[in-house]
Amino acid sequence: MLLLIVVVGEVLHPGSGSFLELASVPLTVFAACGLATIFKVLFEKYSIRFYKSNQKWSDDVAFCRRSGLVKSFQGNFPFYEFDAFIEMAADMKGNQRHTLKVRHRYPQFSKDKRSGLPLEFTFPTDTGSIAERYAMWDMLSRFMDVSQPLPDIPRLEPFRHLDPTTRAFDEAGKRGRPATYWRDLYASVDEKELTRLRWEHHEKVNAAPWGSRPDLMAQSVPGYEDSYTAEPEDVNAYAHAPTQNVRFVERPDGASSNESSERNDT
């Protein structure tokens, strides 16, 4: 077809190469579209094949609120067997990065058979504040506690009516917000207002007294972290400069728990 067009063009305009140059434009577009179509067909074909062969992939790793289990490739374990800690890493320039990690307390039952590493999960956050890591663990703990309603965050709002505790909480009017609060908020405000609200939220998180919260493990497990009864007064300052003179505040609940455990031992 293209050859016929070139021949006709040469008959109508003999000795002119402009028509051949003009014909190369649709040829290039046709080649590009054809190549893109081939890639699209191959992508869809192999993507569908992958998902068909992994129909239960989303159930392999999950924090299950209803059952209280943490599902993993190493097995399923109760959520209360996991401990949270904040890991600090520094780059070559001295910049610090903090990450919340949740690790299984009994690695002999859950470590990876190939690598030998203990079972743990990493939860990144969108700011450098260490208080954000405390807030992340608080949210995960409340998510797994069926005696409390789901955390009131945008991602979980569409599913609040599916959780019995949360549905009863909302129907009793304790939430104090419309059922579609977060959806309506995102639909009605612009990006500038969203940025302001995010920073306002970060300020509240940073100002929360995370270090003064009771240590439930110290209260319920005798001898757990006996020597650790205090928290840094300013967790953010301690995270960025742990070797400086940071003031620690005593945790009365942790101290009283340790004193009682010592009396029981004697």
Side-chain angles (χ1 to χ4, degrees), residues 127-132 199-210 234-236:
T127 67
S129 169
I130 195 174
E132 294 285 341
W199 277 109
E200 185 178 288
H201 172 73
H202 292 323
E203 290 298 324
K204 291 181 180 179
V205 170
N206 290 331
W210 299 109
D234 188 338
V235 293
N236 288 320

Side-chain angles (χ1 to χ4, degrees), residues 235-246:
V235 293
N236 288 320
Y238 179 75
H240 292 290
T243 59
Q244 301 297 325
N245 295 324
V246 179

Side-chain angles (χ1 to χ4, degrees), residues 2-13:
L2 179 61
L3 181 60
L4 178 60
I5 294 175
V6 173
V7 171
V8 173
E10 286 294 328
V11 171
L12 297 177
H13 303 279

Side-chain angles (χ1 to χ4, degrees), residues 194-262:
L194 284 177
T195 301
R196 186 191 68 80
L197 292 174
R198 290 190 184 104
W199 277 109
E200 185 178 288
H201 172 73
H202 292 323
E203 290 298 324
K204 291 181 180 179
V205 170
N206 290 331
W210 299 109
S212 63
R213 295 168 67 86
D215 190 333
L216 299 181
M217 289 296 293
Q219 290 181 353
S220 58
V221 180
Y224 181 83
E225 297 283 346
D226 284 338
S227 61
Y228 185 62
T229 62
E231 291 271 6
E233 186 177 36
D234 188 338
V235 293
N236 288 320
Y238 179 75
H240 292 290
T243 59
Q244 301 297 325
N245 295 324
V246 179
R247 182 173 179 270
F248 282 76
V249 292
E250 191 71 15
R251 286 206 314 261
D253 55 292
S256 61
S257 175
N258 291 330
E259 292 174 0
S260 62
S261 63
E262 291 176 358

Side-chain angles (χ1 to χ4, degrees), residues 11 25 36 56 76 94 115 122 139 142 163 166 171 182 222 247:
V11 171
V25 175
K56 296 183 179 180
N76 302 333
S115 65
T122 301
M139 185 185 70
R142 289 191 291 122
D163 180 68
T166 309
E171 290 177 352
W182 291 112
R247 182 173 179 270

